[in-house]
Amino acid sequence: MKEIQVIGGGPAGLGLGIALLRRGVPVSISEAGTYPRHRVCGEVLHALSRDTIHECGLKELLDEAHPLQSMAWFSGGRELLRGEFPGKGWGLSRYRMDAALAERFRELGGEIRTGQRISRRGTGGEGVAWCIGRRIDSASTWLGLKAHFRGVALRADLEMHLGRGGYVGLNRVEGGWVNACGLFRKRADIHAGREEVFGAYLKQGRWEELAERLARGEMRRGSAMGVSAFRIGPGRLASEGDRGVLRLGDSRSMIGPFTGSGMAMALDGAVCCAPHLADYSGDRVSWSEAVGACGRAMQQRFRIREAAAGLAHPFLTSESGGGRLPRLGILGKLGFRSIYGLLFYRGGEPATPRICSC
């Protein structure tokens, strides 16, 4: 059988490698970093299919994760919505998940070449799956920041805070840690070190209460991370497909925040593609046919999620969007419930929120 070369050892690349090895397909992974490692990520798994949990061997790992049972959304410090987390959700750090998936891949006989940075300019060729994470956009005005904290009191298993031009999310992950992850508009007037920059952006964004809560906790050593120069939304999928380039995960499309879908979509996309790549490996279809089938499978699986996030993200992160909802009173709350119903899913279908109070 033909070997599949995977570029990038994050959730998409590792999930694809595991799913292919289970089908008897030889796979190698090239990864620029090493394991374990922290990544800027909301670290929420949601709407995972049973097939994905089985194919990627996630059951034991999810048993370690923190089950997400409650959620609360805030804007301008005022509560917009409080209720049960829709469907099954887990808080799981990339630090733990990537390392566990890499171990699983190796146990199945796969080879991971760490410290191997492959040029993004390459288009690869037959048998190459690109899972290298976010697409670089030097004109982007976004900055993503994250860190883990211990000893931070939460009002729900998942807290989401909207503000002018960004958002901050806090959720419990394994081991008693809280992941704090934020998306901000870059500011030239903020100068701070890696462990201080998150607090500085919170204060400038008028999230003083959040900054104080986090400051009272213990920051996990090495967990403070930042990332910039990324683009949210889909890539040029049609033209890439025409060239026979297969992209998965954030390389294909970086979904906007608020959905809890990024990690799940990376894993689900890998499982969607595995049967078609196995057909290519076994000489049952051509590479272009396999890439086309992968693209159609992912589009069918993710189109509702991506369309909803594409509409909601610009509004909720605009200067006059999410930050204005409290001033709209009951209209703002009702409008937000509609947005919420589009952004969170039970197995791919829009969720009907079970509201405790609002």
Side-chain angles (χ1 to χ4, degrees):
M1 299 183 76
K2 298 176 183 175
E3 182 183 64
I4 302 296
Q5 182 183 4
V6 177
I7 311 299
L14 291 167
L16 179 62
I18 291 170
L20 288 173
L21 287 177
R22 288 171 60 90
R23 288 171 168 78
V25 177
V27 188
S28 66
I29 295 178
S30 298
E31 163 56 35
T34 57
Y35 305 98
R37 75 282 181 87
H38 290 284
R39 308 288 283 183
V40 177
C41 181
E43 300 188 336
V44 171
L45 279 166
H46 177 246
L48 277 175
S49 71
R50 291 182 181 179
D51 287 346
T52 296
I53 293 173
H54 172 72
E55 289 275 355
C56 297
L58 296 176
K59 186 180 184 304
E60 291 183 2
L61 187 58
L62 293 179
D63 288 342
E64 297 180 27
H66 188 96
L68 302 180
Q69 299 175 334
S70 61
M71 63 186 305
W73 289 65
F74 304 85
S75 180
R78 296 175 59 183
E79 187 175 296
L80 286 172
L81 178 149
R82 175 179 295 275
E84 297 178 4
F85 193 91
K88 288 187 176 181
W90 300 269
L92 183 65
S93 72
R94 288 288 302 276
Y95 188 85
R96 176 63 183 134
M97 185 176 78
D98 289 9
L101 290 175
E103 181 180 1
R104 175 64 173 156
F105 178 76
R106 290 181 172 126
E107 287 174 351
L108 292 171
E111 177 189 4
I112 303 178
R113 296 187 287 267
T114 57
Q116 299 292 311
R117 186 172 296 277
I118 308 297
S119 172
R120 292 174 181 266
R121 293 180 179 275
T123 58
E126 288 197 6
V128 180
W130 290 86
C131 308
I132 52 177
R134 71 191 190 281
R135 300 183 310 282
I136 299 297
D137 182 0
S138 58
S140 171
T141 61
W142 291 113
L143 173 67
L145 298 172
K146 75 80 65 87
H148 286 173
F149 296 86
R150 194 190 295 257
V152 175
L154 293 189
R155 300 171 187 174
D157 292 328
L158 171 65
E159 288 185 22
M160 299 294 290
H161 296 262
L162 304 176
R164 290 193 171 186
Y167 88 102
V168 181
L170 286 78
N171 65 276
R172 304 183 193 279
V173 295
E174 78 286 350
W177 293 100
V178 168
N179 180 50
C181 186
L183 184 70
F184 307 93
R185 294 288 184 182
K186 287 188 288 188
R187 296 179 59 122
D189 58 334
I190 293 181
H191 304 280
R194 175 176 288 188
E195 295 189 352
E196 292 79 31
V197 67
F198 203 151
Y201 266 90
L202 288 175
K203 291 175 182 177
Q204 289 295 326
R206 299 179 181 176
W207 285 300
E208 292 87 352
E209 186 273 337
L210 278 180
E212 291 174 4
R213 259 200 287 165
L214 295 179
R216 290 194 294 267
E218 170 199 355
M219 181 183 288
R220 186 177 188 176
R221 184 175 181 180
S223 68
M225 305 290 291
V227 64
S228 60
F230 56 88
R231 179 171 25 135
I232 294 173
R236 298 183 299 275
L237 301 180
S239 61
E240 290 173 355
D242 291 342
R243 296 199 305 269
V245 179
L246 177 61
R247 301 183 187 274
L248 285 82
D250 286 346
S251 294
R252 172 187 173 271
S253 177
M254 179 180 283
I255 194 167
F258 319 111
T259 63
S261 290
M263 292 198 299
M265 286 174 62
L267 294 166
D268 281 346
V271 172
C272 279
C273 292
H276 306 295
L277 296 183
D279 285 342
Y280 161 77
S281 176
D283 283 326
R284 291 183 289 275
V285 299
S286 68
W287 177 248
S288 62
E289 288 172 328
V291 171
C294 289
R296 290 188 295 273
M298 288 188 287
Q299 183 180 24
Q300 181 177 3
R301 194 174 192 110
F302 303 138
R303 65 180 184 274
I304 299 176
R305 241 180 289 190
E306 290 176 331
L311 291 171
H313 170 72
F315 170 73
L316 292 175
T317 57
S318 69
E319 291 289 335
S320 59
R324 291 185 57 212
L325 287 172
R327 296 199 294 272
L328 298 177
I330 189 64
L331 290 177
K333 292 183 178 182
L334 290 174
F336 181 75
R337 289 191 192 190
S338 299
I339 294 171
Y340 170 94
L342 289 173
L343 291 177
F344 276 81
Y345 295 80
R346 298 179 190 270
E349 294 300 324
T352 301
R354 297 181 63 181
I355 308 301
C356 299
S357 64
C358 187

